[in-house]
Coordinates of all heavy atoms in Angstrom, one line a residue:
R1 N 51.5 44.4 2.4 CA 51.2 44.1 3.9 C 51.2 42.6 4.1 O 51.8 42.1 5.2 CB 49.9 44.7 4.2 CG 49.5 44.5 5.7 CD 48.2 45.3 6.0 NE 48.6 46.7 6.0 CZ 49.0 47.3 7.1 NH1 49.2 46.7 8.2 NH2 49.3 48.6 7.1
E2 N 50.7 41.8 3.2 CA 50.7 40.3 3.4 C 52.1 39.8 3.4 O 52.4 38.9 4.2 CB 49.8 39.7 2.3 CG 48.3 39.9 2.5 CD 47.5 39.5 1.2 OE1 48.1 39.3 0.2 OE2 46.3 39.4 1.3
I3 N 52.9 40.2 2.4 CA 54.2 39.7 2.3 C 55.0 40.1 3.6 O 55.8 39.3 4.1 CB 54.9 40.4 1.1 CG1 54.3 39.9 -0.2 CG2 56.4 40.1 1.1 CD1 54.5 38.5 -0.6
Y4 N 54.8 41.3 4.1 CA 55.6 41.7 5.3 C 55.2 41.0 6.6 O 56.0 40.5 7.3 CB 55.5 43.2 5.4 CG 56.4 43.8 6.5 CD1 57.7 44.0 6.3 CD2 55.9 44.1 7.8 CE1 58.6 44.5 7.3 CE2 56.7 44.6 8.8 CZ 58.0 44.8 8.5 OH 58.9 45.3 9.5
F5 N 53.9 41.0 6.8 CA 53.4 40.5 8.1 C 53.1 39.0 8.1 O 53.1 38.4 9.2 CB 52.1 41.3 8.5 CG 52.4 42.7 9.0 CD1 52.0 43.8 8.3 CD2 53.1 42.9 10.2 CE1 52.3 45.1 8.7 CE2 53.4 44.2 10.6 CZ 53.0 45.3 9.9
T6 N 52.8 38.4 7.0 CA 52.5 37.0 7.0 C 53.3 36.2 5.9 O 52.8 35.6 5.0 CB 51.0 36.7 6.7 OG1 50.6 37.4 5.5 CG2 50.2 37.3 7.9
P7 N 54.7 36.3 6.0 CA 55.5 35.6 5.1 C 55.2 34.1 5.2 O 55.0 33.5 6.3 CB 56.9 35.9 5.5 CG 56.8 36.3 7.0 CD 55.5 36.9 7.1
Q8 N 55.3 33.4 4.1 CA 55.0 31.9 4.1 C 56.2 31.1 4.1 O 56.1 29.8 4.1 CB 54.2 31.6 2.8 CG 52.8 32.3 2.8 CD 52.1 32.1 1.5 OE1 52.6 31.5 0.5 NE2 50.9 32.6 1.4
S9 N 57.4 31.7 4.2 CA 58.7 30.9 4.3 C 59.7 31.7 5.1 O 59.6 33.0 5.2 CB 59.2 30.5 2.9 OG 59.7 31.7 2.3
R10 N 60.7 31.0 5.5 CA 61.8 31.7 6.2 C 62.5 32.6 5.2 O 63.0 33.7 5.6 CB 62.8 30.7 6.8 CG 63.9 31.2 7.6 CD 64.6 30.1 8.3 NE 65.7 30.6 9.1 CZ 66.3 29.9 10.0 NH1 65.9 28.7 10.3 NH2 67.3 30.4 10.7
F11 N 62.7 32.2 4.0 CA 63.4 33.1 3.0 C 62.6 34.4 2.9 O 63.3 35.5 2.9 CB 63.4 32.4 1.6 CG 63.8 33.3 0.5 CD1 65.2 33.6 0.4 CD2 62.9 33.9 -0.3 CE1 65.6 34.5 -0.7 CE2 63.3 34.7 -1.3 CZ 64.6 35.0 -1.5
V12 N 61.3 34.4 2.7 CA 60.5 35.6 2.5 C 60.6 36.5 3.8 O 60.8 37.7 3.7 CB 59.1 35.3 2.2 CG1 58.2 36.6 2.1 CG2 59.0 34.6 0.8
A13 N 60.5 35.9 5.0 CA 60.6 36.6 6.2 C 61.9 37.4 6.3 O 62.0 38.5 6.8 CB 60.5 35.6 7.4
E14 N 63.0 36.7 6.0 CA 64.3 37.3 6.1 C 64.7 38.3 5.0 O 65.4 39.3 5.2 CB 65.4 36.3 6.2 CG 65.3 35.4 7.5 CD 66.4 34.4 7.7 OE1 66.6 33.6 6.7 OE2 67.1 34.5 8.7
F15 N 64.1 38.1 3.8 CA 64.4 39.0 2.7 C 63.6 40.3 2.8 O 64.1 41.3 2.3 CB 64.0 38.3 1.4 CG 64.5 39.0 0.1 CD1 65.8 39.0 -0.2 CD2 63.6 39.7 -0.6 CE1 66.3 39.8 -1.3 CE2 64.0 40.4 -1.8 CZ 65.4 40.5 -2.1
I16 N 62.4 40.2 3.3 CA 61.6 41.4 3.4 C 61.7 42.0 4.8 O 61.2 41.6 5.8 CB 60.1 41.1 3.2 CG1 59.9 40.4 1.8 CG2 59.2 42.3 3.2 CD1 60.3 41.2 0.6
G17 N 62.5 43.1 4.9 CA 62.6 43.8 6.2 C 63.5 43.1 7.2 O 64.0 42.0 6.9
A18 N 63.6 43.7 8.4 CA 64.4 43.0 9.4 C 63.5 42.0 10.1 O 62.3 42.2 10.3 CB 64.9 44.1 10.4
A19 N 64.0 40.9 10.6 CA 63.2 39.9 11.2 C 64.1 39.1 12.2 O 65.3 38.8 12.0 CB 62.7 38.9 10.2
N20 N 63.5 38.8 13.4 CA 64.1 37.9 14.4 C 63.6 36.5 14.1 O 62.4 36.3 14.1 CB 63.7 38.3 15.8 CG 64.3 39.7 16.2 OD1 65.5 39.8 16.3 ND2 63.5 40.6 16.4
I21 N 64.5 35.6 13.7 CA 64.1 34.2 13.4 C 64.5 33.4 14.6 O 65.7 33.4 15.1 CB 64.8 33.7 12.1 CG1 64.4 34.6 11.0 CG2 64.4 32.3 11.9 CD1 63.0 34.6 10.6
I22 N 63.5 32.7 15.2 CA 63.7 31.9 16.4 C 63.4 30.5 16.1 O 62.4 30.1 15.5 CB 62.8 32.4 17.5 CG1 63.1 33.9 17.8 CG2 62.9 31.6 18.8 CD1 62.0 34.6 18.7
E23 N 64.3 29.6 16.6 CA 64.1 28.2 16.6 C 63.9 27.7 18.1 O 64.8 27.9 18.9 CB 65.2 27.4 16.0 CG 65.4 27.7 14.5 CD 66.5 27.0 13.8 OE1 67.0 26.0 14.4 OE2 66.9 27.4 12.7
S24 N 62.7 27.2 18.4 CA 62.4 26.9 19.8 C 61.4 25.8 19.9 O 60.5 25.6 19.0 CB 61.8 28.2 20.4 OG 61.2 28.0 21.6
P25 N 61.3 25.1 21.0 CA 60.2 24.2 21.3 C 59.0 25.0 21.8 O 59.2 26.2 22.2 CB 60.7 23.3 22.4 CG 61.8 24.1 23.1 CD 62.4 25.0 22.0
I26 N 57.8 24.5 21.6 CA 56.6 25.1 22.1 C 56.0 24.2 23.2 O 55.8 23.0 23.0 CB 55.5 25.3 21.0 CG1 56.0 26.4 20.1 CG2 54.2 25.7 21.6 CD1 55.0 26.7 18.9
E27 N 55.8 24.8 24.4 CA 55.1 24.0 25.5 C 53.9 24.8 25.9 O 54.0 25.9 26.3 CB 56.1 23.9 26.6 CG 57.3 23.0 26.4 CD 58.3 22.9 27.5 OE1 57.9 23.5 28.6 OE2 59.3 22.2 27.4

């Protein structure tokens, strides 16, 4: 559950399951 919902890197996020990766400013 931790690996899936709270990945600590972009690699883990994309390797575990499907993921939308967004690069964006925050305002």
Side-chain angles (χ1 to χ4, degrees):
R1 182 170 289 274
E2 288 167 347
I3 294 290
Y4 186 81
F5 286 111
T6 56
Q8 294 173 358
S9 70
R10 184 169 181 163
F11 169 78
V12 175
E14 293 184 303
F15 188 74
I16 305 295
N20 294 296
I21 303 297
I22 298 167
E23 296 179 16
S24 164
I26 292 179
E27 293 180 2

